[in-house]
Amino acid sequence: ELIAQDSLSFHRLTMPQISVIFFNQSSNKALADKAVRQALAHAISKDEMVASVLDPVFYSPIDSPVFTSSFAYKNDIKKYAYDTATAARILKEAGWEHAQVADEDIAKAEKEKESKDAAVKESAEKLISIGKGTWLKKKDEFLTIRLTTVDKTENSMVIDAVMKYWEPLGVKVFPEIAPVASMQSEVIKPKNFEALFYGITLGVDPDPYAFWHSSQIERGLNISSFSNKEADKILEEARQSVDQGKRRELYARFQDIIAEELPAIFLYSSAYDYVQDKKVKGFGTNTIYYPRDRFSDVADWYLKTGREIDW
């Protein structure tokens, strides 16, 4: 309805909001293995997700915790191209083998879940929850991931897509939708998740200390509980320097560490659409960091033009 109105102008602004799958390595033993995290990254086609599930006009794939328009962004970091063969190979080399769960296995588990033996009962209930199919298994454990997100239509669409990428590999995904009101208190702060699809907003300065320094695990925004001594040192040094060149070098190394350790999968960034009446002229903003920044050049806006005669 808005697009059909010729009286309106549309401004698509860049905004440093990024959507990420954070891994909680302490709540899921499989995710504590870097190889598994890297395989999961190779199994997702970000380009396809943006094109088919979202909208390439509004969303762009990303690979880094530093926003692409920042002076600190490093383009040539290690990236995980969509490659299911590579993902499968990595998982196999990590010791995960395919195991078939047939109808008879489920039928047997249905009987065993009534057992008085706690271990037998727990094993049966787990198998029933996994269900029929071909799943990855290592020793006696299946590769399962509880994937949580906030209750929002876009988020639900994305985790549905992630499931369609991961499950053909043999990874059983249990989607979990959490209410907006309880996300911070019941999910993020107590680290009550195994993998969390969540959006964060970066600041004007590229300093990612709040999201990735180990001191921020308990009292800050370090959602993945990422802890790396070299990364800590880099983040401390970079935020104390006023030399942009030095900071660029430090943040480049930091991005290399994140790309290798992969405590999270960086999926995409989103644009901010601002609609104005066509009568308003002079709007020249391209990038904003907060919604209010769309008024940063308001002093240059005008409604009427006049002809000036030079004598």
Side-chain angles (χ1 to χ4, degrees):
E1 292 177 358
L2 284 173
I3 293 173
Q5 297 182 42
D6 293 334
S7 62
L8 300 176
S9 295
F10 289 83
H11 303 286
R12 186 148 295 129
L13 312 178
T14 300
M15 190 172 183
Q17 292 181 331
I18 61 175
S19 295
V20 185
I21 296 177
F22 295 95
F23 293 123
N24 185 349
Q25 300 175 39
S26 61
S27 68
N28 186 317
K29 292 180 180 179
L31 294 177
D33 185 353
K34 179 172 69 175
V36 172
R37 302 194 300 273
Q38 293 182 339
L40 293 173
H42 274 300
I44 297 176
S45 173
K46 300 175 187 178
D47 291 330
E48 183 181 69
M49 179 183 291
V50 166
S52 60
V53 179
L54 301 167
D55 186 335
V57 174
F58 297 95
Y59 302 89
S60 302
I62 59 170
D63 297 286
S64 170
V66 176
F67 200 56
T68 53
S69 64
S70 170
F71 74 84
Y73 175 69
K74 182 181 181 183
N75 184 54
D76 59 344
I77 57 174
K78 180 177 182 178
K79 297 176 182 178
Y80 297 84
Y82 176 54
D83 189 337
T84 55
T86 296
R89 175 183 56 78
I90 292 173
L91 289 168
K92 186 174 180 61
E93 291 174 353
W96 294 93
E97 300 287 347
H98 284 105
Q100 184 73 33
V101 177
D103 288 330
E104 51 267 33
D105 298 314
I106 300 297
K108 181 182 177 183
E110 288 288 353
K111 295 178 181 179
E112 292 181 343
K113 74 176 184 179
E114 305 300 329
S115 173
K116 294 182 179 180
D117 186 315
V120 172
K121 181 178 180 179
E122 181 181 355
S123 179
E125 290 176 341
K126 186 178 294 185
L127 190 64
I128 292 169
S129 69
I130 290 172
K132 180 182 175 182
T134 302
W135 307 108
L136 288 170
K137 192 175 184 181
K138 189 175 184 179
K139 296 180 180 179
D140 294 325
E141 292 294 326
F142 285 95
L143 180 45
T144 65
I145 299 175
R146 180 164 54 94
L147 179 56
T148 307
T149 192
V150 67
D151 189 6
K152 184 180 177 184
T153 302
E154 175 189 310
N155 291 15
S156 297
M157 292 167 60
V158 170
I159 66 169
D160 283 346
V162 172
M163 287 176 64
K164 291 176 182 176
Y165 286 125
W166 286 354
E167 292 203 332
L169 281 176
V171 180
K172 179 63 179 180
V173 180
F174 296 102
E176 187 176 83
I177 306 298
V180 176
S182 62
M183 176 56 70
Q184 286 291 335
S185 61
E186 297 182 15
V187 177
I188 295 177
K189 189 174 181 179
K191 310 294 183 184
N192 181 26
F193 65 90
E194 294 179 358
L196 175 67
F197 174 62
Y198 194 64
I200 59 175
T201 301
L202 308 178
V204 178
D205 189 275
D207 180 8
Y209 183 99
F211 298 105
W212 303 106
H213 194 277
S214 61
S215 68
Q216 303 303 300
I217 293 174
E218 296 298 328
R219 64 176 186 271
L221 298 172
N222 189 338
I223 297 175
S224 284
S225 298
F226 177 68
S227 181
N228 181 286
K229 289 183 179 179
E230 184 183 358
D232 280 354
K233 185 177 180 181
I234 288 171
L235 293 176
E236 291 163 11
E237 189 175 348
R239 66 176 0 206
Q240 294 171 6
S241 175
V242 295
D243 184 332
Q244 190 176 98
K246 181 179 179 181
R247 295 186 78 204
R248 183 184 293 109
E249 292 178 4
L250 290 168
Y251 286 138
R253 175 54 188 153
F254 166 73
Q255 289 168 83
D256 284 335
I257 294 172
I258 291 291
E260 175 61 30
E261 295 303 318
L262 211 68
I265 298 176
F266 303 91
L267 292 181
Y268 59 84
S269 62
S270 54
Y272 183 94
D273 263 16
Y274 180 46
V275 184
Q276 281 187 323
D277 191 302
K278 279 187 176 179
K279 294 177 182 178
V280 179
K281 310 294 182 182
F283 184 84
T285 300
N286 296 310
T287 300
I288 63 175
Y289 291 91
Y290 305 99
R292 64 175 179 266
D293 292 343
R294 64 191 186 276
F295 298 115
S296 60
D297 65 347
V298 67
D300 298 325
W301 298 4
Y302 59 93
L303 297 176
K304 296 180 179 180
T305 59
R307 179 176 297 175
E308 183 177 304
I309 300 175
D310 292 328
W311 296 95

